[in-house]
Amino acid sequence: MSAEATNPVSAAEAATTDVAVRRRGRARIDLRRLGRAALLGATAGPAPRDRLPDAIGHVAEAHRAHHPEADLSVLGRAYVLAESSHRGQFRKSGEAYITHPLAVTLILAELGAETTTLTASLLHDTVEDTEVTLDQVRREFGDEVAYLVDGVTKVEKIDYGAAAEPETFRKMLVATGSDVRVMSIKLADRLHNMRTLGVMRPEKQARIAKVTRDVLIPLAERLGVQALKTELEDLVFAILHPEEYETTRALVADHPGAADELGAFAEQVTAVLREADVGAEVLVRPRHFVSVHRIRLKRGELRGCDFGRLLVLVAEDADCYAVLGELHTCFTPVISEFKDFIAAPKFNLYQSLHTAIAAPDGAVAEVLIRTHRMHKVAEAGVVALGNPHVGQEPDTAVPQTDDGERVDPTRPGWLSRLLDWQQSAPDPDTFWTSLRADLAEDDEITVFRADGSAPGTISLPAGASCVDAAYAQHGEAAHACLGARVNGRLAPLSTVLGDGDTVQLLLAQDTVSGPSPEWLDHARTPAARIAITGWLRAHPESAAPPAAPSDPRPQVSVPAERRSGPELHAELDGEPPAAVRPAGCCTPVPPDEITGFLVRGGTVTVHRARCSAVEAMRGLGREPVTVRWGDTPQGRVTLVAESFGRPGLLADLTEAIATFGAAVVSANVEPPSEQRVRHTYTLHLPDAAGLAALMRAMRDVPGVYDVSRARHSRGLS
């Protein structure tokens, strides 16, 4: 059987009891409301047909609070089947086994789960632990309930042993991705088992707590079910870190006046909002033990307001910003604490405004501002979404993937990505390692897409680079990524992104390009690492190590036929100049504004008027020489093309040059640096007036992000 035994004096039980006492009278879903009397009434026998069994009265009450029009008769029938099938089975504490599915169902009812989920929750252990068959469940309760029961049964069979984890956890993900309600039931099941873990051996308690910490709590966080997540955290904290837990518990007990201090602050906030005619409900929201522990590690000695936060609930989204404006006007805001998760919701559906304000006496309180709808989603996450398939036509098939798995249209985007890359993982161990690393990421950043397409944001773990953003946005098409613009400026793919950055990924048009092994040094997300590794394994020739620094790749220099330059005339006093030639540093062409200087051998070098060498020559006391263009339209110019490396780029650039009739006098391609390549071309133009059009054509070559006239200095003669 999947449920664990009850020991009322366990550390985990004590932790939950303390949490329940501290939660009274506040807007947080209380998942411990089901009393022992109701559980003991579970074995009282079947109820008359005209009313529900007494044992599920609390479930019915909680369910009707969220769904007033719900049909409760199906819950009565599910309870009767569950109670009769589990009759004679007991938990290790001696309680009737039916108390477990009842407690799990009440947890989900308090979270606002719809009737189908509650029905499946009551029956979630019947197919695994009794003679009831899945076909029997389908006949009596329909395909939806049967699907959920089957999904939970498969998840229950997962062995969390070290050897089994990599492969079997895939099954949990597939079940979760097919219908998130499966994981909702599993999380509620684990919560009740964690509450009643006391009679297990200490080593088994620790093993279950570690899996809960490493896998199920992060999943609860990503599914947005904060009410489950916070209680699970406290229960795990009590088992795995008993000394720190006791210290935190004593710290909370030593500050009984913290609630009063926060309450006084809440009254000030209420008065300010009332005077501004902003309708809002202001509540004190004490922190759970793990949160208090983290704050203590961060801030050291705690003050009264550090033991909780203020929660402001309003009716409309616009009211959230109205509240924020009043608070920042009437109190001193702590700007570094402000976060807007309404404009940019978190990956787990969470929306709220976070701020911190200081009262005249110096007390600082953190404030959460959200609507009642946002609050429901913040507490219950995906459970609040209801039936993902409701509203479909009766004859319409449920969407399925290529392998026959159904598709949940409400599943979060991160879960879709998780399911995608788990299929691409080369082996179970790589998948498991990557998954745990991904779930361990507590901090995330949100970056904005510069192209304006939906969705407009990309959620990434803190420390992610442009490589991660490319694969998060484009999937395997990111293999052809050439570079990026971050906040409007060109940046290499290795650039680490910050929260709020704007990113534009630049992709090559060809399908030959692929990632280099160096990308793995910059990839933080499992999706990026697995995709890059898969491509490199399929293209081993691309994974060859780069040349050693002691043997650098030589520059490529391509000489070509020399052509005569533009006609130039110089005006000198006395003897005519030996020669007049364009300066190599700026290669002027008609109709550039020019100036000249006399150098050794009687030669006049001609520079563009804005060339840096002009100022340098004047600084040396050299007098400029009057020069002018002749009638010949042809000219020689040096252009520098900055690009991202890709196969065939040199050929495409020279083709663009040839299209305009320009002849390549010489070409130089420098070795790539951070995937950037610098091309220098000296060109003979048949008509210098076409230079601007030629430069535009070169910029249009895929991978080229800039073309400019040469501005290098070749020294002074």
Side-chain angles (χ1 to χ4, degrees):
M1 299 181 188
S2 61
E4 309 297 348
T6 301
N7 179 356
V9 297
S10 68
E13 186 84 6
T16 310
T17 301
D18 285 340
V19 171
V21 170
R22 296 168 58 241
R23 284 181 177 173
R24 291 173 184 167
R26 58 178 164 142
R28 187 194 291 274
I29 297 174
D30 183 359
L31 301 180
R32 290 279 297 177
R33 199 179 70 179
L34 183 56
R36 188 171 298 276
L39 289 176
L40 294 177
T43 57
R49 291 188 178 183
D50 59 345
R51 68 181 180 87
L52 290 172
D54 292 338
I56 61 170
H58 286 74
V59 173
E61 177 187 351
H63 188 40
R64 275 286 170 85
H66 293 278
H67 304 278
E69 305 299 324
D71 178 12
L72 300 180
S73 62
V74 65
L75 295 180
R77 291 190 290 112
Y79 167 74
V80 170
L81 177 60
E83 193 279 329
S84 61
S85 61
H86 286 299
R87 191 173 297 165
Q89 296 177 349
F90 298 91
R91 307 188 81 208
K92 292 185 179 180
S93 63
E95 289 181 325
Y97 189 80
I98 189 61
T99 59
H100 171 67
L102 269 175
V104 172
T105 305
L106 180 68
I107 290 171
L108 293 169
E110 291 281 7
L111 290 170
E114 39 77 47
T115 308
T116 302
T117 302
L118 300 185
T119 304
S121 176
L122 284 169
L123 301 170
H124 78 271
D125 278 335
T126 55
V127 173
E128 179 186 8
D129 295 336
T130 74
E131 299 299 320
V132 175
T133 65
L134 193 61
D135 288 337
Q136 182 180 349
V137 172
R138 182 177 291 107
R139 286 194 304 270
E140 295 191 29
F141 300 97
D143 291 338
E144 283 294 307
V145 173
Y147 184 87
L148 296 180
V149 171
D150 185 43
V152 177
T153 300
K154 291 176 180 177
V155 171
E156 291 290 348
K157 292 179 180 179
I158 292 177
D159 179 7
Y160 290 102
E165 283 176 331
E167 182 57 36
T168 55
F169 199 80
R170 289 179 186 261
K171 300 175 184 177
M172 180 182 288
L173 285 176
V174 172
T176 303
S178 301
D179 199 315
V180 293
R181 293 175 294 176
V182 172
M183 185 52 65
S184 300
I185 296 172
K186 175 58 185 175
L187 289 171
D189 174 82
R190 175 52 62 96
L191 174 57
H192 184 245
N193 286 341
M194 287 296 297
R195 288 174 177 171
T196 59
L197 202 59
V199 302
M200 290 292 166
R201 300 186 307 275
E203 58 271 20
K204 187 169 184 180
Q205 288 188 38
R207 182 180 68 84
I208 295 174
K210 286 178 181 178
V211 173
T212 303
R213 177 197 63 193
D214 294 342
V215 177
L216 295 178
I217 287 177
L219 277 177
E221 165 75 15
R222 280 155 175 74
L223 293 173
V225 195
Q226 294 297 319
L228 288 174
K229 179 225 175 193
T230 54
E231 189 174 343
L232 284 172
E233 281 185 329
D234 280 352
L235 293 167
V236 168
F237 187 38
I239 292 173
L240 297 183
H241 305 282
E243 294 182 1
E244 291 89 341
Y245 166 74
E246 288 298 335
T247 299
T248 305
R249 184 178 180 183
L251 185 64
V252 172
D254 291 342
H255 290 79
D260 295 335
E261 187 173 339
L262 280 167
F265 213 138
E267 291 178 1
Q268 297 180 52
V269 171
T270 301
V272 166
L273 297 179
R274 185 187 302 115
E275 184 177 353
D277 197 25
V278 178
E281 181 181 4
V282 183
L283 303 164
V284 175
R285 187 179 176 89
R287 296 181 185 273
H288 63 293
F289 287 134
V290 170
S291 180
V292 172
H293 176 66
R294 290 171 179 161
I295 289 294
R296 183 175 66 86
L297 294 179
K298 178 181 178 181
R299 301 179 183 173
E301 185 177 353
L302 301 183
R303 300 179 61 178
C305 288
D306 293 328
F307 289 88
R309 294 182 285 190
L310 299 184
L311 173 64
V312 182
L313 298 177
V314 296
E316 303 292 339
D317 290 12
D319 295 336
C320 295
Y321 294 97
V323 169
L324 181 70
E326 292 298 328
L327 294 183
H328 283 194
T329 300
C330 300
F331 299 92
T332 302
V334 182
I335 301 301
S336 61
E337 296 293 328
F338 173 69
K339 293 182 180 179
D340 187 345
F341 294 119
I342 296 179
K346 296 181 72 174
F347 63 93
N348 60 0
L349 312 177
Y350 179 85
Q351 286 185 288
S352 186
L353 295 178
H354 289 204
T355 189
I357 54 176
D361 62 358
V364 177
E366 294 183 31
V367 185
L368 310 177
I369 309 169
R370 60 180 70 143
T371 66
H372 292 278
R373 180 189 58 81
M374 293 176 190
H375 181 64
K376 180 180 179 180
V377 175
E379 294 289 281
V382 296
V383 178
L385 298 178
N387 186 343
H389 306 290
V390 71
Q392 291 185 359
E393 296 296 330
D395 297 333
T396 302
V398 174
Q400 295 185 338
T401 61
D402 295 338
D403 57 2
E405 293 291 343
R406 67 193 288 178
V407 176
D408 182 349
T410 65
R411 72 187 183 196
W414 67 265
L415 182 55
S416 298
R417 293 193 298 271
L418 200 85
L419 291 166
D420 290 340
W421 64 255
Q422 68 90 17
Q423 295 177 345
S424 304
D427 58 78
D429 290 332
T430 299
F431 163 73
W432 182 244
T433 302
S434 301
L435 173 69
R436 292 185 63 166
D438 181 66
L439 293 178
E441 294 290 349
D442 292 330
D443 297 329
E444 67 166 12
I445 62 172
T446 300
V447 297
F448 296 88
R449 295 172 56 171
D451 56 12
S453 57
T457 61
I458 306 172
S459 295
L460 297 167
S465 67
C466 293
V467 172
D468 299 301
Y471 283 94
Q473 178 174 342
H474 296 293
E476 291 191 355
H479 292 332
C481 193
L482 300 172
R485 291 185 183 270
V486 179
N487 300 324
R489 304 188 65 174
L490 286 164
L493 290 175
S494 59
T495 302
V496 176
L497 299 171
D499 196 28
D501 283 347
T502 299
V503 181
Q504 178 185 2
L505 285 315
L506 308 176
L507 302 183
Q509 300 300 314
D510 62 84
T511 58
V512 180
S513 301
S516 68
E518 289 78 11
W519 288 20
L520 290 173
D521 297 333
H522 314 303
R524 183 77 176 268
T525 59
R529 295 189 64 82
I530 289 176
I532 295 168
T533 302
W535 193 92
L536 293 175
R537 289 186 177 182
H539 302 80
E541 69 282 358
S542 300
S550 59
D551 183 23
R553 291 163 57 186
Q555 296 185 350
V556 178
S557 184
V558 182
E561 178 186 356
R562 293 188 174 272
R563 303 288 183 93
S564 60
E567 184 179 350
L568 286 165
H569 301 280
E571 297 179 5
L572 295 174
D573 294 332
E575 296 297 324
V580 182
R581 59 177 176 81
C585 58
C586 57
T587 57
V589 294
D592 290 341
E593 184 180 351
I594 54 178
T595 187
F597 291 93
L598 186 64
V599 296
R600 295 188 190 96
T603 300
V604 173
T605 58
V606 180
H607 298 262
R608 295 169 63 191
R610 289 179 292 178
C611 178
S612 59
V614 172
E615 291 299 323
M617 296 286 272
R618 285 175 173 168
L620 294 175
R622 300 284 186 91
E623 290 296 327
V625 175
T626 301
V627 291
R628 61 180 175 81
W629 295 110
D631 297 330
T632 305
Q634 64 184 356
R636 180 176 295 182
V637 65
T638 300
L639 300 180
V640 178
E642 303 280 353
S643 68
F644 298 107
R646 68 170 179 84
L649 179 61
L650 181 61
D652 292 344
L653 273 171
T654 53
E655 181 180 355
I657 293 170
T659 301
F660 276 78
V664 178
V665 177
S666 65
N668 183 276
V669 182
E670 299 178 10
S673 174
E674 291 190 324
Q675 301 171 8
R676 298 188 189 189
V677 182
R678 181 184 175 96
H679 304 247
T680 303
Y681 298 94
T682 299
L683 308 175
H684 179 84
L685 306 178
D687 186 351
L691 176 60
L694 170 61
M695 294 173 68
R696 285 195 297 270
M698 293 174 66
R699 289 192 190 101
D700 290 339
V701 174
V704 177
Y705 59 81
D706 192 25
V707 176
S708 61
R709 302 275 292 274
R711 294 191 180 99
H712 59 279
S713 175
R714 296 195 177 183
L716 303 176
S717 299

